[in-house]
Amino acid sequence: MTPNGGTGLALVAAVAVIAGGVGSYTGAYAFALTIGFLQALTSYVLPGAWTTVGVYGAILLLILLRPSGLGRGWKTAGA
Amino acid sequence: MHVVWSDLLITTLIYFVLASGLNLIIGYARALSVHHAALFAIGAFTYSTMARHGWSRDLVVTGVVAAVIAGILSLLLAAGSLRTQGDYFIVASFAFQLVAVNLLFNWTAISGGTFGVYNLPSPTVLGVTIGTPAGTLGLVLWLGRGPFGRLARAMGQSESAVAAAGFSVLRVRGSVFVLAGMLAAAAGALYAGYIGIAFANTFDVQLSIMVAAMVVIGGAGSVVGTILGAALLTVIPALLSSANINQDVAGSLQQLIFAVMLIVVMIALPDGLAALPKTAARGLAGLLRRGRPHRSGPREGSGPASADFRARQGVVGSGARHGH
C-alpha cells in the first residue's frame, strides 16, 4: 500500500462518472459495473497484461462508434 | 549528480515542441486532452524502431514518419470522438492514452516491454534538435496570428458562432488535434534520439498531466507561457535530482511542488505566468481605485469545468480576445 495508490482508482471512478453521465447516479453506477465486468472478463479471456487494453479499448470503441447512443447526457455538438 | 545546463536547454526545447501542441488544444480550442504522452511515445518508438532496424536514424525522416503516424491516429480519434462534447471527449482521450501505451508496452518487438529499448544509435542530424523547436516557435506564432489561429480561438469561445459563420467546427477542431498530434510525435522522435533510451511505461497519464501543467502554469494560449512552463517544469526536477536527497522523496517532493504551483497559478494567476505583469498591473490598478478587481469569477474555458460556464454565457466573443 502506498499513499499514491488511490490515483488509479480515482481515474477509473472519474471515467465511470463521466461516461455514465455527470449528475446521473444510475449512469455512474451502471458504468462502474460495466468497467468492473469488462475487467474481469478480459482478465479471464486474455493474458493479464492485456486487461487495460481490453477494458479501455472497449470504452474507446464505444465512444468512437456510438458517440450519441449511450443513454441520456450524450449530446452531440453541431457538425 | 550535477546539473548540466546544455542538457536542460535541449530537454526544455523538446518539451516546448511537445507542449506547443497541447497549448493549441487547451489555449485555442479550449478543450483538454490527456493522451499527449501517448503521442509522444509514438514518436519515441518510431525513432527507436527505425534506428534499431537501421532504416533511418535521421531525425528529419523519423520525425516526419512519426508525425504522419500520430497525425493519422489523431485524425481517427478526432473523427470519432470530437462530436461528443467536453467531458466525454476526455474519457475517449484517457482511453486512447491507456490503450496506446499498453499496446506499445505489450508489443515487445517495438518497445522491449519492461526492459525498454536502450543504446539507441545516435541521430544523424543533431541540428534538428535545435531547429525543430525554432520551427515550432515560428509555426505557433504564425498560427496564433493567422486566420486559423483566430478561428480556433473563436471556436474555443463559442462553437455555435463559428458554425453559424459557416465554418465546420469538426474540421477546425480536427485540424487543431492533428497538428498537436504531429508536433507531439516529432518531439517524441527528438527525445528518443537525444536520450537514447525509451521505456513505454514512462509515457503514462502522469506525463500527459505534466505537459498540461506546463501549458497551464505558463499560460494557456500564450507562446511565451509555453516556453516558461516547459523550462520551469524541466529545471525543477533536475534541481531536485541533483540535490542530495533520497530519490523517492525527491519524486514525491516534485509532485507536491507541481501541485502547489498549479493551485497557486489557478487561484492567483488564471492567465498563467506569462500574464504575470498584466495581472499584477490590473490588481494594482484595482487597489488604487479602491474597488474590487474587475474579474472575480472563473476565467472562461480554462479547464473542463468551464464548459458549462461557456454554455451559460452563450454569447459570442470576437475571435481574437487577446492579442498575443
Side-chain angles (χ1 to χ4, degrees):
Chain A
M1 197 154 147
T2 54
N4 43 20
T7 320
L9 289 175
L11 284 174
V12 176
V15 168
V17 167
I18 295 174
V22 179
S24 154
Y25 284 105
T26 351
Y29 193 72
F31 223 89
L33 277 178
T34 312
I35 293 178
F37 179 73
L38 278 174
Q39 229 154 26
L41 190 71
T42 39
S43 56
Y44 181 71
V45 179
L46 300 168
W50 292 93
T51 310
T52 313
V53 175
V55 174
Y56 289 96
I59 293 177
L60 191 61
L61 276 183
L62 214 62
I63 295 177
L64 292 187
L65 298 179
R66 303 223 43 185
S68 55
L70 285 173
R72 68 199 180 94
W74 286 79
K75 290 174 234 150
T76 47
Chain B
M1 219 161 56
H2 97 176
V3 182
V4 184
W5 292 101
S6 62
D7 172 61
L8 286 187
L9 176 69
I10 291 180
T11 314
T12 300
L13 291 176
I14 293 173
Y15 276 130
F16 165 68
V17 178
L18 177 63
S20 286
L22 199 61
N23 187 30
L24 291 178
I25 294 180
I26 298 180
Y28 290 26
R30 295 273 171 210
L32 184 65
S33 83
V34 286
H35 63 269
H36 229 60
L39 299 166
F40 194 47
I42 288 166
F45 286 111
T46 303
Y47 175 82
S48 74
T49 306
M50 291 181 77
R52 281 197 309 155
H53 291 269
W55 296 334
S56 172
R57 48 203 187 90
D58 188 304
L59 281 177
V60 178
V61 176
T62 52
V64 168
V65 172
V68 168
I69 296 175
I72 292 173
L73 285 175
S74 298
L75 188 65
L76 288 178
L77 181 67
S81 64
L82 282 180
R83 267 170 293 160
T84 60
Q85 267 179 339
D87 297 342
Y88 302 103
F89 173 71
I90 295 178
V91 174
S93 167
F94 182 62
F96 177 84
Q97 159 75 34
L98 289 180
V99 170
V101 172
N102 270 278
L103 274 178
L104 276 172
F105 183 77
N106 289 333
W107 193 358
T108 43
I110 297 283
S111 70
T114 326
F115 308 105
V117 287
Y118 40 87
N119 287 336
L120 298 176
S122 46
T124 40
V125 192
L126 258 178
V128 179
T129 313
I130 303 294
T132 308
T136 305
L137 184 66
L139 179 73
V140 176
L141 282 175
W142 175 73
L143 278 177
R145 284 161 206 277
F148 180 76
R150 280 200 296 275
L151 197 56
R153 276 176 202 275
M155 194 191 60
Q157 301 200 339
S158 170
E159 282 182 1
S160 44
V162 170
F167 293 102
S168 161
V169 170
L170 269 182
R171 193 176 292 174
V172 180
R173 269 197 163 193
S175 315
V176 171
F177 275 83
V178 169
L179 201 60
M182 294 175 83
L183 283 175
L190 289 184
Y191 186 71
Y194 179 61
I195 65 169
I197 50 169
F199 297 94
N201 272 350
T202 53
F203 301 98
D204 54 2
V205 186
Q206 306 271 352
L207 180 65
S208 290
I209 294 173
M210 194 177 98
V211 181
M214 287 177 184
V215 173
V216 173
I217 290 176
S222 149
V223 178
V224 180
T226 311
I227 298 176
L228 280 178
L232 209 57
L233 268 62
T234 306
V235 170
I236 290 176
L239 288 180
L240 275 175
S241 62
S242 73
N244 197 9
I245 34 179
N246 183 324
Q247 278 305 301
D248 279 354
V249 178
S252 312
L253 205 58
Q254 180 188 322
Q255 298 276 337
L256 189 67
I257 293 175
F258 288 172
V260 170
M261 271 169 65
L262 263 178
I263 293 171
V264 168
V265 165
M266 296 278 206
I267 294 173
L269 279 171
D271 293 322
L273 286 179
L276 182 60
K278 222 187 273 177
T279 311
R282 203 184 290 142
L284 205 64
L287 277 181
L288 287 179
R289 264 187 275 111
R290 290 164 185 269
R292 293 181 51 199
H294 270 305
R295 288 183 306 111
S296 49
R299 176 188 153 78
E300 76 224 63
S302 47
S306 58
D308 63 343
F309 180 75
R310 251 188 289 142
R312 257 186 284 125
Q313 251 194 342
V315 214
V316 191
S318 72
R321 185 161 32 91
H322 31 217
H324 51 248

